[in-house]
Amino acid sequence: MTKEGAMETAARRGVALPGRVGDVRRGNLALVLKGIAAAGPGLAPTRAQLAAANGLTKASVSSLVADLIESGLIRELGLNRDGERGRPGVGLQLNPQRAVIGLEINVDYLAAGLVDLNGALRFHTSEEAQNSGADPRSVIKQISRLLEPVLKAAGDTGTQILGGGLAVPGLVDSAGRTIVSAPNLHWSSVTLEVRDLLPAAAFDVLLSNEANSAALAELWYGRGRELHDFVFVSGEVGVGAGLVVASELFVGPQGYAGELGHVVVHPDGPDCSCGGRGCLETFAGLEAILSAAGIAASPVSVRLTGLLDALRNGEGHAVTAVENAGRYLGLALVSAARIMDLPAVVLGGHFALLGDWIRPALQRSLEIHAPGLLESESVMLSTLDQSAALLGAAGGAIQSILESPHVLIPAAARGYGSPVACSSRTTARP
């Protein structure tokens, strides 16, 4: 059979052919880098171990490793014995002086952080900001100013920033850098010039949904490392959810799955920002809880502290508001768990902060409406505090780097062929 005939047959069968030498080399370069990343912090596989694990020759791996070292993505670290016999080899690790920026725009705050390639949050800053109804361009300017101390922290430690990720509380079109709909921000069909935030970086700034990003952070760095299937519930002014199935984010055919905050839990309930009424968000969103608890208007951080004090003192309005939130959250989770067959729940944001008071009511709701569906030990509190969405956005940027390290290597000099667009998949662990 001719080469053309073989390619046509393979195409019909859905079989990927190696193609050009540059394509194969790019794939192998990413394979080796992911192998080093998968070892995790503190572990350093050798060239021989990487060759054995990936079915490559030692000579090929040595050449690829040389390129990765030159790119600055990895470093050699001490000696590591390959087995019981033989000489110890030189261990390889991701370079901690290469990092990405994680960013978050939420209704009442902005946040920015420096995250190294291992997912460690090296520097973090945030500020309260009333972003609801604000001009998107002015918000981008604000977050650009918030970046200044992060960039300084990177410069002070000699850390090179390779890219970034921005999480927002709304439905997004990542490829078009567009917020399709963010009801709590009152933004619709808004295109953000996120590339301008890090113009010197080799990789783009990726736009993502806040709840999905937080779910991925939980999968990669939090409770989700021990789980394969779970729903992460993000508690902010709005309520969102990220669905993780078989250790991958499930976003649905249009990319908009996980809108738990707009599941109807009370048909005759209050009007919601989405245009409907009786949504979970109108009972369990942070603003809804604070208002029901009678916590006077002031900066959200002050109101949240006041709510916690009221709960510790057993004040009736506060206890009732949180119990109602837990009850309605339980109703929504019953529907989500039955439809998606998800065996575990991780509560983040203010749900984690209010966990001691909200979990009993939530669990009672589950027992009444779906006994045995979700046991108490299957409902967990996130340990990532308020940085989950930021970490997940950064993790998506790290994944792009792991999939396309050739972007950092001169193509003509290294035989990688012409550069290709870097991927933005966010399902595998960085």
Side-chain angles (χ1 to χ4, degrees):
M1 181 183 293
T2 65
K3 178 180 178 181
E4 289 76 13
M7 292 179 69
E8 183 179 351
T9 300
R12 286 198 304 268
R13 294 176 179 173
V15 177
L17 290 176
R20 297 173 299 171
V21 172
D23 296 332
V24 175
R25 189 166 176 82
R26 280 199 298 268
N28 287 341
L29 190 74
L31 195 64
V32 170
L33 182 60
K34 288 180 182 178
I36 296 169
L43 298 177
T46 66
R47 291 166 174 81
Q49 288 171 335
L50 290 166
N54 294 302
L56 302 173
T57 66
K58 291 182 181 179
S60 176
V61 169
S62 292
S63 173
L64 295 166
V65 164
D67 286 348
L68 289 170
I69 290 174
E70 186 175 345
S71 75
L73 288 172
I74 66 171
R75 64 176 182 173
E76 294 181 317
L77 187 69
L79 297 177
N80 180 14
R81 186 170 296 280
D82 292 337
E84 294 298 323
R85 300 180 180 180
R87 303 190 316 182
V90 177
L92 301 165
Q93 284 187 330
L94 295 177
N95 187 351
Q97 289 189 296
R98 297 295 182 272
V100 299
I101 298 289
L103 301 164
E104 182 183 2
I105 296 172
N106 220 304
V107 176
D108 54 352
Y109 68 87
L110 300 171
L114 181 68
V115 181
D116 71 23
L117 295 184
N118 284 308
L121 184 59
R122 302 252 303 271
F123 183 88
H124 178 260
T125 184
S126 64
E127 66 178 33
E128 292 194 358
Q130 296 305 313
N131 299 316
S132 182
D135 183 341
R137 290 169 297 183
S138 69
V139 175
I140 289 294
K141 286 181 181 178
Q142 281 182 277
I143 206 165
S144 182
R145 287 193 293 271
L146 193 64
L147 264 175
E148 292 176 6
V150 185
L151 297 175
K152 183 179 185 303
D156 290 346
T157 56
T159 301
Q160 182 179 344
I161 294 168
L162 302 178
L166 170 62
V168 296
L171 305 178
V172 304
D173 173 6
S174 300
R177 302 188 182 95
T178 299
I179 299 176
V180 178
S181 175
N184 289 316
L185 290 173
H186 299 289
W187 292 357
S188 179
S189 300
V190 171
T191 299
L192 298 179
E193 297 301 329
V194 291
R195 186 72 178 95
D196 295 342
L197 291 169
L198 296 172
F203 288 78
D204 282 344
V205 177
L206 305 176
L207 188 64
S208 62
N209 170 266
E210 167 261 333
N212 284 343
S213 292
L216 284 169
E218 203 65 48
L219 173 66
W220 294 331
Y221 312 122
R223 301 274 191 187
R225 286 178 294 185
E226 303 167 3
L227 305 169
H228 299 290
D229 311 280
F230 64 95
V231 54
F232 176 88
V233 185
S234 171
E236 300 289 345
V237 169
V239 177
L243 308 174
V244 175
V245 180
S247 296
E248 294 193 354
L249 184 68
F250 175 81
V251 296
Q254 298 183 73
Y256 302 151
E259 286 292 286
L260 189 72
H262 300 292
V263 169
V264 176
V265 294
H266 193 313
D268 299 319
D271 292 339
C272 181
S273 62
C274 72
R277 63 184 306 175
C279 297
L280 173 64
E281 194 169 287
T282 64
F283 295 97
L286 182 57
E287 183 59 42
I289 294 174
L290 291 170
S291 296
I295 306 296
S298 63
V300 172
S301 59
V302 176
R303 296 176 75 192
L304 192 51
T305 299
L307 175 63
L308 290 168
D309 289 340
L311 289 168
R312 294 186 187 104
N313 294 329
E315 295 180 16
H317 288 310
V319 171
T320 300
V322 172
E323 285 182 346
N324 280 339
R327 180 162 64 93
Y328 286 116
L329 177 58
L331 281 173
L333 287 173
V334 164
S335 298
R338 287 202 186 281
I339 292 171
M340 295 298 298
D341 190 28
L342 294 173
V345 175
V346 181
L347 302 177
H350 69 258
F351 294 132
L353 195 61
L354 301 174
D356 289 344
W357 296 276
I358 209 166
R359 280 183 68 175
L362 187 160
Q363 202 63 49
R364 283 196 299 273
S365 189
L366 293 176
E367 290 167 359
I368 291 169
H369 299 286
L373 182 65
L374 286 169
E375 302 297 335
S376 58
E377 62 271 14
S378 299
V379 180
M380 311 170 194
L381 303 181
S382 174
T383 59
L384 298 180
D385 299 322
Q386 295 298 113
S387 60
L390 181 151
L391 280 171
I398 293 170
Q399 182 63 22
S400 288
I401 295 167
L402 297 182
E403 290 184 349
S404 301
H406 66 276
V407 169
L408 301 174
I409 299 169
R414 292 291 182 265
Y416 291 98
S418 57
V420 297
C422 52
S423 169
S424 59
R425 281 185 61 212
T426 55
T427 54
R429 187 194 187 284

